[in-house]
């Protein structure tokens, strides 16, 4: 069966706008021509694509929904391909799509973006905050150029390479409300369990590491609050809602200014490795330069 892409484009636009008129306007053809194209496509596929009500409203049939799903993918891919070609023609226009969780990006990424921008002022950035597994999937699909995240140094994949760039220290902190415990020279883990705890979400790498440390001592953490946003956790701790586990660099200024107090908890230091990941097959020169900025300033 010959596939008429123009017919599918016409169908896609009619379904998108729910209007034969708007589709005709975008295609610069007459409305009867659009109607005739849809009719021929329905005959070719031997299915009904649209339901038409007496007041002129159109909706997709169940079969039409399936056809629209694939038509949308085709034309989104065509649009993406056009963008890639346009960027290739104009070497001065580049976009780096960066995936980074908020607890790293908010304090760590900014200074490196500034450094890179000073060297390559024409390069634009698109920053995405999602779950780690979602960002890796996007990286494989080339929807992201790099991912900066924790605990990826042992990551193994045929498509993805990773480079460790630094280790982040974490600590328990509290507000003035719990300063009595912060003043102690050493805090036993069981004693800490008496206080309300504010921890990262249980699926985050930082939380998994602290859970592991406590389980080694036979303790299962039962936090009062779990939050994937470091900014929200920080504010809750400052307000005295509980004692929180935070990446130290994120709250170092608060510690220095005595807005927060670091607790000397009796267990080994917990370091969280941060790595930058990229797609092996689509590692553009500008991406190599971006990665170099991180490597040069963390060696």
């Amino acid at each position: 069966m010959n596939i008429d892409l123009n017919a599918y484009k016409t169908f896609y636009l009619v379904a998108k706008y729910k209007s034969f008129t708007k589709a005709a306007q975008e295609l610069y053809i007459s409305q009867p021509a659009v109607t005739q194209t849809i009719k021929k496509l329905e005959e070719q596929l031997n299915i009904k694509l649209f339901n038409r009500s007496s007041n002129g409203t159109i909706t997709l049939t169940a079969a039409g929904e399936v056809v629209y799903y694939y038509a949308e993918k085709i034309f989104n891919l065509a649009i993406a391909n056009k963008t890639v070609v346009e960027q290739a023609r104009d070497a001065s226009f580049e976009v780096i799509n960066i995936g980074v969780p908020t607890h790293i990006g908010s304090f760590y990424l900014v200074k490196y973006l500034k450094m890179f921008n000073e060297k390559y002022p024409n390069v634009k950035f698109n920053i995405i905050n999602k779950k780690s597994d979602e960002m890796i999937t996007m990286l494989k699909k080339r929807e992201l150029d790099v991912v900066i995240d924790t605990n990826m140094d042992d990551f193994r994949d045929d498509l993805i390479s990773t480079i460790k760039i630094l280790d982040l220290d974490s600590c328990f902190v509290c507000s003035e409300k719990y300063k009595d415990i912060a003043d102690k020279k050493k805090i036993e883990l069981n004693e800490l369990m008496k206080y309300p705890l504010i921890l990262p979400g249980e699926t985050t790498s930082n939380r998994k590491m602290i859970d592991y440390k406590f389980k080694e001592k036979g303790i299962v953490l039962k936090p009062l609050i779990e939050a994937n946003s470091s900014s929200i956790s920080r504010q809750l701790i400052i307000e005295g809602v509980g004692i929180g586990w935070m990446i130290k660099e994120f709250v170092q200024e608060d510690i220095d200014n005595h807005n927060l107090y670091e607790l000397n908890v009796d267990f080994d230091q917990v370091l969280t490795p941060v790595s930058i990941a990229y797609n092996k097959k689509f590692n553009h020169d500008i991406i190599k330069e971006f990665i170099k900025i991180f490597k040069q300033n963390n060696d």
Side-chain angles (χ1 to χ4, degrees):
M1 179 175 65
N2 293 325
I3 297 177
D4 184 352
L5 288 178
N6 287 327
Y8 281 94
K9 183 175 183 179
T10 302
F11 160 75
Y12 169 71
L13 292 173
V14 173
K16 177 182 177 181
Y17 295 124
K18 297 181 175 61
S19 168
F20 283 77
T21 302
K22 288 183 179 179
Q25 290 171 349
E26 182 154 332
L27 292 166
Y28 297 101
I29 59 177
S30 67
Q31 184 174 329
V34 171
T35 303
Q36 186 63 27
T37 299
I38 297 300
K39 182 179 179 182
K40 287 183 178 179
L41 184 59
E42 288 180 324
E43 290 173 353
Q44 183 183 26
L45 297 175
N46 196 27
I47 57 175
K48 186 179 180 181
L49 295 170
F50 294 101
N51 292 314
R52 299 164 178 82
S53 66
S54 57
N55 65 2
T57 303
I58 65 168
T59 56
L60 286 165
T61 63
E65 291 279 4
V66 174
V67 176
Y68 180 73
Y69 173 80
Y70 288 103
E72 184 179 38
K73 285 185 174 294
I74 290 169
F75 289 105
N76 282 343
L77 182 61
I79 291 168
N81 184 59
K82 181 181 178 183
T83 302
V84 170
V85 172
E86 288 173 349
Q87 291 183 17
R89 287 173 179 163
D90 182 5
S92 65
F93 177 73
E94 299 280 0
V95 178
I96 300 179
N97 298 294
I98 306 166
V100 59
T102 54
H103 66 279
I104 296 176
S106 55
F107 73 91
Y108 176 68
L109 182 61
V110 174
K111 62 182 179 181
Y112 293 98
L113 294 185
K114 182 176 182 294
M115 292 165 60
F116 188 83
N117 176 255
E118 290 171 351
K119 190 173 182 179
Y120 300 99
N122 292 325
V123 177
K124 298 183 179 182
F125 300 107
N126 180 31
I127 300 173
I128 305 295
N129 306 122
K130 288 185 179 291
K131 294 180 180 178
S132 298
D133 56 348
E134 292 178 2
M135 292 192 295
I136 290 297
T137 298
M138 292 176 72
L139 185 62
K140 290 181 181 180
K141 294 165 65 177
R142 297 174 58 195
E143 294 171 357
L144 291 174
D145 296 306
V146 294
V147 171
I148 302 167
D149 204 352
T150 54
N151 288 333
M152 294 196 302
D153 52 327
D154 292 328
F155 184 80
R156 296 291 180 269
D157 190 279
D158 291 339
L159 283 178
I160 306 299
S161 284
T162 62
I163 300 171
K164 181 181 173 182
I165 47 182
L166 80 160
D167 288 308
L168 292 175
D169 194 5
S170 295
C171 61
F172 280 103
V173 289
C174 67
S175 68
E176 184 74 28
K177 180 178 178 179
Y178 299 104
K179 191 172 182 298
D180 59 324
I181 188 173
D183 288 337
K184 294 186 177 182
K185 291 183 178 181
K186 187 75 70 174
I187 303 162
E188 298 297 329
L189 299 186
N190 286 323
E191 183 181 1
L192 189 65
M193 295 304 98
K194 300 174 184 177
Y195 295 85
L197 297 180
I198 300 170
L199 302 179
E202 62 181 358
T203 60
T204 63
S205 56
N206 202 18
R207 171 64 182 280
K208 288 177 181 178
M209 293 189 73
I210 188 69
D211 278 345
Y212 177 76
K213 286 288 184 181
F214 274 74
K215 283 179 181 177
E216 282 185 323
K217 306 293 184 180
I219 298 172
V220 176
L221 289 168
K222 296 180 179 179
L224 172 69
I225 296 174
E226 294 177 298
N228 288 333
S229 168
S230 295
S231 298
I232 292 174
S233 295
R234 170 184 170 275
Q235 194 59 42
L236 288 169
I237 299 165
I238 288 175
E239 295 295 329
V241 176
I243 293 172
W245 174 253
M246 300 288 290
I247 290 177
K248 189 170 181 178
E249 190 167 351
F250 187 82
V251 292
Q252 186 62 60
E253 186 174 344
D254 290 308
I255 294 171
D256 294 341
N257 294 332
H258 304 295
N259 293 323
L260 292 174
Y261 299 90
E262 182 178 357
L263 279 65
N264 188 16
V265 180
D266 186 20
F267 67 174
D268 296 333
Q269 182 184 32
V270 178
L271 293 176
T272 303
V274 177
S275 302
I276 187 165
Y278 59 91
N279 193 310
K280 295 177 184 177
K281 293 186 177 181
F282 302 99
N283 192 17
H284 191 281
D285 286 345
I286 202 67
I287 305 301
K288 293 177 182 177
E289 289 298 309
F290 182 75
I291 294 170
K292 188 186 296 183
I293 289 288
F294 288 84
K295 292 179 65 179
Q296 288 176 341
N297 290 277
N298 286 287
D299 288 341

